[in-house]
Amino acid sequence: MKYGHFDDQQREYVISQPDTPLPWMNYLGCESYFGLISNTAGGYSFYRDAKLRRLSRYRYNNAPFDVGGRYLYLRDNESEKFWSPSWQPTRTKLDKYECRHGMGYTIIGSTANKIEAQTTYFVPLGETLEIWKVKITNHRKTPAKLSLFSSLEFCLWDAQDDNTNFQRNFSTGQVEIVDGVIYHKTEYRERRNHFAYFACSEKLAGYDTQRDTFLGAYRSWDNPAAVARGKSFNSVACGWAPHGSHHVKVNLKPGQTKEIIFVLGYHENAVDKKFSPPNSQTINKTTVKPVIAKYLDGKNVAAAFQKLKENWDNLLGTYQVTSPDIHANRMVNIWNAYQCMATFNMSRSASFYESGIGRGLGFRDSNQDLLGFVHMVPSRARERILDLSATQLKSGGAFHQYQPLTKRGNHELGSNFNDDPHWLILGVGAYIKETGDWKILDEPVQFENEAGSEQPLYEHLRRSFNYTLERIGPHGLPLIGRADWNDCLNLNCFSDTPGQSFQTTTNKEGKVAESVFIAGLFVLASKELAAIAVKRGLPDEAKYYLAEAAKMEKVIYQHGWDGEWFIRAYNDFGQPIGSKVCKEGKIFIESQGMCIMAGVGLDDGKAKLTLESVNKRLATKHGIVLNNPAFTKYYIEMGEISSYPPGYKENAGIFCHNNPWIIIAETMVGNGNRAFDYYTRINPSARENIGDLHRCEPYVYAQMIAGKDAPTHGEAKNSWLTGTAAWNYFTITQWILGIRTGFDGLVVDPVIPAKWKGFTVTRKFRGNTYLIEVKNPNGQQRGVKKLVVDGKEITGNILPACAPQSEPIRVVAVLEG
Ligand code: BGC
Ligand code: NOJ
């Protein structure tokens, strides 16, 4: 069953029924002001940091699921009927409903009682505010006398505190209402210099700022007292729950349309200019007023919306494909790239599944996110790399996460996730390949954010490399630490106490448990670092990196190879994990993907053999599971992985993030048919028709699809914020379509289904536009035998980077067996 359809022309997903299996979300904002918005207008907003600067409330894990949002109520003042044009929260039957999730905006339109209302929600570029533009049309033959109420519950900034510290919070809330603008200023009187405002373009018939007055005692969002009686109470919040509601009277002639604009924003004042007059407690509104005035003007709103659209034309224009597969096309051209922007911005912090409280920006996550983002806004990727590396420890290790507002490492979680440092090498490599900006390596960057500790970024990469060499276990493999990529493989944890965090509890010394996955990653990262060292004029250093990589490769063959696949790890007793000798978890996906991506086993058939094992034991029609057989009970020596019931999450779920590693491995052995088949199995667009099973949004990847051991095999969960976005984007664009960034230029190396006759790609790269046509007349899966650039045949399959040309560069690549 489908709940909507793709409108590829508009780059929108159109949801035609409000009661989707789960709230289907979108993001507003892509710079510093962000919002989550569901297809029924649920969600919340924040400035930079969902934990520390939250503007509005959302109630996670509620019933119904999606409570709290940017709500509107329309009331027919004659019949006294009222409803929500976004369906929630009144859930009144609508005669027509349509939600269009687009690039940075959401439009929810509906008709009820012959009144049509369409609301466009978006964040103008460069601003710290959001617009709700409401268009109301009277389709009756008679005049309509309506009331429109807005409703937004303010969060008292720190979302964690807001959810827990009620003895204080019920007494701190403060607002100001001036010229129809509701200002939320809790804690402004003391140490905060920021406030929120909620404005409306119309003359108000009334307002409410105290939630419980607006709702009435024992009433809820579906039946607010103010809306039911058709009149606000003009309540002024003092403590309890500050709220923003405007009441506007809208009288429409038959056929008449009216546009009403609401602006919700965040504003900071200079600390010494907080109040006006200076010795008062009144917000100084001098700098915010012009901003509000600007966006209450429909012309400016229309122009800002246009700009947002153009920005996305531009961002997405960097890589566009026309292939025989509609699902690949729309993911590459629109949604997968768009999701990469969200993961870049949010890391894993704020989604329908991530409360915005627990997790800042992951070191590993953010580095990987760059793979799918760097081509869109390289300057922001650069900034991210420098921020991340500044949290790196002197040892080369890394804080596992950092807080976006402060850009400081998260001490609670700490470090010792022993794969983390290597992702920095891969992130930096991806950045340089895209931009050719070698200068980034000379940027002085602090360690642990300590003034005076600056070293060139390149030195950070060296320390990342050394980190592993300084932590080698009994078999010569890297010690795993708290965990490697699999945050749930906690081999030094041995936790027997409920509530202990698997990520931070360490009951073992950590001198035994080793990771074959990190060994593979080390090989991959070392080769990358060697290539970088060569370019820096350090050939001896490069040789050293390669020699260490080769040594590690040997160790992998010796202690990491199980006969038909790669072992996953060794536990604290020195026993193998992910081996045929194990009763459960005989084979894991991660070490297979990572070792082959690092080139291990490519020359001697081990890679192919491994991929057959993956196909036989891990692949399902819904994607490739993480391990098999699933763990059926809790193993204290394994940690969180065995805490999940079989088939979910890291315990044999289809962890979509690492499926692309196998897909890349398949392309490396030239198996285009299988690579694309695997790619399609988890492609959300290709799963649109099984919406009742898949349940998550069909336009973005989910972290997980329940594996074959789960009762709900095929059900997706944890959509939006996942490394799946970047890895799939990287895989389809660079490995399957094979237009791959290299240090010296663009590599053309497609590995595609034999039945494809060809495809075209437009790629903007280092100041040039490449129009690439790939022809596959003889049904090959790989092998560029002829490359013609602007009419001239060149040898090899690299398009060397060159100075920007005035015309696009035309490339024809022909595959031949
Ligand atoms: C999840 C992992 C996640 C980890 C760290 C676990 O519960 O299953 O996917 O990486 O928590 O937050
Ligand atoms: C989600 C985390 O964000 C990511 O870093 C990790 O690799 C996966 N879970 C697997 O555990």
Side-chain angles (χ1 to χ4, degrees), residues 450-581:
E450 246 179 58
S453 65
E454 289 82 357
Q455 292 282 336
L457 177 64
Y458 184 68
E459 175 59 21
H460 286 251
L461 305 188
R462 277 184 180 143
R463 292 203 197 173
S464 291
F465 171 85
N466 285 330
Y467 180 85
T468 291
L469 287 189
E470 286 160 10
R471 284 164 186 76
I472 294 289
H475 294 94
L477 292 161
L479 291 170
I480 195 165
R482 282 184 169 159
D484 57 24
W485 172 88
N486 190 333
D487 279 338
C488 298
L489 197 60
N490 317 115
L491 304 182
N492 295 305
C493 179
F494 283 73
S495 172
D496 58 6
T497 307
Q500 279 183 336
S501 153
F502 288 106
Q503 266 77 51
T504 56
T505 305
T506 307
N507 284 319
K508 295 286 163 182
E509 252 198 292
K511 297 267 163 59
V512 181
E514 300 165 294
S515 164
V516 178
F517 169 82
I518 301 184
L521 179 61
F522 173 82
V523 175
L524 181 66
S526 302
K527 288 180 179 171
E528 192 84 341
L529 188 55
I532 292 173
V534 169
K535 288 279 177 188
R536 260 183 101 72
L538 300 168
D540 292 341
E541 203 170 305
K543 268 192 214 135
Y544 166 64
Y545 296 141
L546 290 179
E548 289 299 328
K551 256 201 241 162
M552 188 62 81
E553 227 171 302
K554 266 207 191 121
V555 179
I556 296 177
Y557 281 133
Q558 216 182 337
H559 297 293
W561 177 247
D562 200 50
E564 286 173 79
W565 59 81
F566 295 96
I567 289 173
R568 175 64 176 83
Y570 284 92
N571 67 17
D572 185 63
F573 310 115
Q575 299 158 338
I577 291 173
S579 152
K580 56 180 177 293
V581 305

Side-chain angles (χ1 to χ4, degrees), residues 359 487-488 503 640 644 649-650 655 703:
R359 302 172 69 179
D487 279 338
C488 298
Q503 266 77 51
E640 184 169 357
Y644 286 114
K649 295 278 286 180
E650 281 86 344
F655 217 88
Q703 178 205 58

Side-chain angles (χ1 to χ4, degrees), residues 196-208:
Y197 54 90
F198 191 24
C200 175
S201 59
E202 301 307 299
K203 193 168 158 301
L204 301 190
Y207 57 85
D208 273 298

Side-chain angles (χ1 to χ4, degrees), residues 183 195 197 267 269 283-293:
Y183 294 88
F195 57 87
Y197 54 90
H267 196 77
N269 272 341
I283 298 175
N284 176 358
K285 303 179 184 73
T286 324
T287 52
V288 77
K289 272 189 177 168
V291 185
I292 299 178

